[in-house]
Amino acid sequence: MNQTRLHLIETLPKTELHLHIEGTLMPEMMFALARKNGVALPYASVAEVAAAYAFDDLQSFLNLYYEGMAVLQHRQDFYDLTMAYLQRMADEAVVHVEIFFDPQAHTRRGVSFETVIGGITDALKDGQARLGISYRLIMCFLRDLGEAEALATWQAAQPFLALIDGVGLDSAEVGHPPEAFQAVYQMALDAGLKTVAHAGEEGPPEYIWNALNDLKVSRIDHGVRALEDPELVAHLVHTQVPLTVCPLSNIKLRVFDDMGQHNLKSLLEAGVCVTINSDDPAYFGGYLVENFVQTADALGLSDAQVVQLVKNGFVASDLPDAEKAGYLQRIDALAAQVV
Ligand code: ADE
Ligand code: ZN
């Protein structure tokens, strides 16, 4: 990669809009927490973990993802997990994060909602104060557990609504379409929350349409299969509803054979508001900068396209318009110095 482009990627202020905090659990921390909390792991070493992280599809990843997070038991564990991620983001010039958490993956194994959200939000507040990283917190429903469980989770979240900015939908996609969650999403919208949903990662373009129409989402998470439906692409261009694309995730979960086959550049050149994000960086081989570098290299993105992707991250964020405008101006000024 040429030095100008690497410099742009590393130093421009950036956002992360598609990040599962449980997906930042690095093998070293997993072992340390397993030891501390007396949890047995199916791995003997970090090398064994690395060997196990060879996935065939989304489900094969989710199996290890839910297994790994069993080491997270105490409020401090959630704090340490989140703070380690924020420190890493500060090193990568990320200034704003909108992160997901999966309460059901913890409450179903006996860890309280308060333990989870308390540890995460303590770290987010400290990260804002000490590292200057602003944040939003998005509660995801595990779609494979169905709508009744999502409604129960919505009820459990009521005492903590002031800490939650949006709701999302994740876990096994195919066979669990968005429209099944319309009632709980309407409750979130009525409470003033933003809505997003994973759609078109493994599922068909129809799931993206249904997330837009039935769940009133302000962003689509992944959404790469939109390119199969020209009408949908035209709609996304017209409305500028953003896609939070996660290139390394898509390669590791075999949505595309290799990075050279990824359709991010086609979506960008069609005029879709595409952003780059890391999804579950501890499992997919790279944080945000690495996602930018590998994508730009494999697809031959121009400097201007890299800058556009960085700017799209702010446009697609939930930041107030005045703050967005300030960042966009700063990015243009910084880019003009190097390009
Ligand atoms: N949970 C964590 N990462 C996910 C992904 N990429 N898709 C669906 N659910 C997830
Ligand atoms: Zn995701």
Side-chain angles (χ1 to χ4, degrees):
M1 151 140 332
N2 83 47
Q3 287 308 303
T4 306
R5 199 155 312 142
L6 185 59
H7 182 76
L8 279 173
I9 292 171
E10 287 179 340
T11 61
L12 287 179
K14 292 178 290 298
T15 63
E16 169 116 281
L17 306 178
H18 183 156
L19 182 283
H20 303 264
I21 196 63
E22 297 91 344
T24 67
L25 179 60
M26 298 296 278
E28 295 77 9
M29 187 181 278
M30 188 160 65
F31 278 107
L33 289 174
R35 215 172 306 122
K36 176 174 87 79
N37 293 334
V39 176
L41 286 175
Y43 317 104
S45 65
V46 169
E48 264 188 33
V49 177
Y53 288 0
F55 308 113
D56 298 322
D57 54 17
L58 175 58
Q59 189 61 56
S60 66
F61 152 69
L62 289 170
N63 295 340
L64 299 198
Y65 168 77
Y66 294 125
E67 187 177 77
M69 67 177 78
V71 302
L72 297 164
Q73 306 238 329
H74 306 290
R75 186 172 176 131
Q76 186 69 42
D77 304 341
F78 288 92
Y79 180 96
D80 292 344
L81 177 76
T82 308
M83 187 49 80
Y85 166 68
L86 292 172
Q87 270 159 352
R88 176 73 189 242
M89 290 304 92
D91 292 343
E92 296 197 1
V94 171
V95 296
H96 178 72
V97 299
E98 302 192 4
I99 69 169
F100 300 128
F101 75 117
D102 285 331
Q104 290 157 286
H106 309 297
T107 53
R108 70 179 174 188
R109 56 188 181 79
V111 177
S112 78
F113 200 108
E114 184 177 10
T115 295
V116 177
I117 199 167
I120 294 171
T121 53
D122 285 350
L124 288 169
K125 285 180 202 151
D126 285 354
Q128 166 120 47
R130 286 194 225 143
L131 305 168
I133 299 176
S134 54
Y135 64 88
R136 301 287 186 272
L137 183 60
I138 303 170
M139 173 174 75
C140 279
F141 302 115
L142 301 186
R143 64 205 307 159
D144 44 344
L145 299 187
E147 197 188 23
E149 290 287 326
L151 283 164
T153 304
W154 176 250
Q155 289 310 321
Q158 291 311 297
F160 309 102
L161 273 198
L163 303 174
I164 299 172
D165 303 290
V167 298
L169 192 62
D170 64 2
S171 203
E173 183 183 8
V174 175
H176 305 285
E179 58 270 25
F181 297 87
Q182 199 167 0
V184 72
Y185 264 65
Q186 191 56 54
M187 290 178 193
L189 288 163
D190 290 343
L193 272 61
K194 290 269 160 69
T195 62
V196 297
H198 284 53
E201 177 185 20
E202 287 188 341
E206 185 193 354
Y207 284 22
I208 301 175
W209 279 117
N210 294 351
L212 293 166
N213 293 329
D214 297 338
L215 306 185
K216 313 277 185 264
V217 295
S218 43
R219 291 195 297 255
I220 294 286
D221 296 313
H222 294 295
V224 291
R225 288 195 59 191
L227 204 59
E228 296 168 26
D229 179 345
E231 239 182 273
L232 177 55
V233 173
H235 180 78
L236 292 171
V237 172
H238 178 70
T239 58
Q240 288 294 294
V241 172
L243 304 185
T244 63
V245 176
C246 306
L248 281 171
S249 164
N250 294 152
I251 304 314
K252 285 292 267 185
L253 302 188
R254 308 227 187 147
V255 174
F256 300 96
D257 289 338
D258 59 61
M259 199 62 97
Q261 306 293 315
H262 202 290
N263 67 10
L264 177 141
K265 188 175 179 180
S266 304
L267 288 162
L268 186 68
E269 290 180 346
V272 179
C273 183
V274 181
T275 66
I276 289 189
N277 308 273
S278 71
D279 207 6
D280 302 282
Y283 291 85
F284 300 148
Y287 284 78
L288 192 65
V289 162
E290 189 63 20
N291 270 276
F292 268 93
V293 166
Q294 290 203 26
T295 309
D297 263 346
L299 299 180
L301 299 181
S302 67
D303 291 345
Q305 286 176 318
V306 168
V307 173
Q308 186 64 56
L309 286 162
V310 170
K311 289 171 75 175
N312 285 354
F314 289 93
V315 172
S317 76
D318 187 40
L319 284 167
D321 286 344
E323 257 181 86
K324 283 187 193 184
Y327 278 119
L328 296 177
Q329 250 181 5
R330 211 168 113 202
I331 292 164
D332 279 334
L334 288 166
Q337 287 172 13
V338 288
V339 176

